[in-house]
Amino acid sequence: MKPQSIIDQTTFEALKEAMGADYLPELVSAYFDEMPALLSRLQQALAKQDCEAFRQAAHSIKSTSNSFGALEFGAQAKELEMMGRAGILDGAPVKVDALTSGYELVRQALEGLIHG
């Protein structure tokens, strides 16, 4: 899959313009540092059936990912956020697994845009 199909170019370019091209690699690096912990918190909250912690983790994943242009990934996280808000985690394990797997594609796409 091309980075362009995973990362929305318009959103990414707007972030690059707002933050400065020199600072963007630092932002992406911080995202890479934060995301595994957020995904882990999401999985732990699911295991405990803690809907509020689940909602919060999904919200953070959504917001941060959307700001980098990972809009489809952010939409998946939003769906999980809404499940947490509704207090219904039925079907969430499959969606959490898909989100966790999808992060690797987002990571690769962002690396390609930063270093490519």
Side-chain angles (χ1 to χ4, degrees):
M1 219 179 230
K2 290 184 188 172
Q4 294 83 358
S5 62
I6 296 169
I7 303 298
D8 177 72
Q9 290 300 126
T10 304
T11 305
F12 186 80
E13 290 301 323
L15 178 67
K16 189 176 184 178
E17 191 173 310
M19 302 309 287
D22 293 343
Y23 189 57
L24 201 56
E26 269 184 66
L27 284 176
V28 170
S29 179
Y31 176 75
F32 291 165
D33 289 345
E34 178 184 33
M35 197 53 54
L38 285 172
L39 289 166
S40 179
R41 278 198 354 228
L42 189 70
Q43 291 165 336
Q44 290 168 3
L46 177 60
K48 294 176 184 172
Q49 293 291 294
D50 183 338
C51 291
E52 181 54 21
F54 186 85
R55 183 199 66 76
Q56 288 173 353
H59 174 80
S60 295
I61 292 166
K62 173 197 75 177
S63 300
T64 309
S65 299
N66 283 345
S67 68
F68 284 98
L71 304 182
E72 186 177 318
F73 187 73
Q76 289 177 299
K78 181 178 181 176
E79 185 179 353
L80 292 170
E81 179 187 7
M82 294 299 115
M83 291 173 80
R85 178 170 288 148
I88 301 168
L89 300 182
D90 297 344
V94 172
K95 294 177 188 298
V96 169
D97 287 347
L99 189 75
T100 302
S101 298
Y103 168 64
E104 183 58 28
L105 295 174
V106 170
R107 192 183 66 71
Q108 290 173 3
L110 284 171
E111 276 186 350
L113 289 168
I114 292 295
H115 302 296

